[in-house]
Amino acid sequence: MRRRTILLIGGVVILLLGAGLYGLGLLLDTGSVPGDANIGAGIAILFGEFVGVLGLAVLVVWAIAAFVVRLRQRKTDR
């Protein structure tokens, strides 16, 4: 398997994991009483945001790598 494919799959999986954690935090927070501190929901939302941004960064790296490979192929075709 090529490195770019692994980057793409890994980025999508990490992004989905972050979205799942964020959604879990929101789900846990909906059942709480207003003004009540739900620490677990807050932690899940924070980790979900962090993991989601990390997955987005991996996808950006994948896009840059694919763009560089395409530019190199275009130069060698000439």
Side-chain angles (χ1 to χ4, degrees):
M1 207 183 260
R2 297 190 323 204
R3 289 182 191 140
R4 285 180 289 143
T5 307
I6 293 172
L7 272 175
L8 175 62
I9 293 170
V12 169
V13 167
I14 292 172
L15 186 65
L16 290 175
L17 181 67
L21 276 172
Y22 188 81
L24 177 68
L26 287 178
L27 180 69
L28 290 174
D29 195 36
T30 56
S32 63
V33 178
D36 186 22
N38 192 344
I39 303 299
I43 291 173
I45 288 174
L46 285 176
F47 279 135
E49 287 177 353
F50 176 72
V51 171
V53 168
L54 185 66
L56 190 62
V58 170
L59 287 177
V60 167
V61 168
W62 168 79
I64 291 171
F67 182 69
V68 167
V69 167
R70 184 167 294 196
L71 284 179
R72 284 186 182 175
Q73 285 177 351
R74 188 179 297 170
K75 285 183 180 181
T76 57
D77 288 341
R78 290 183 186 182

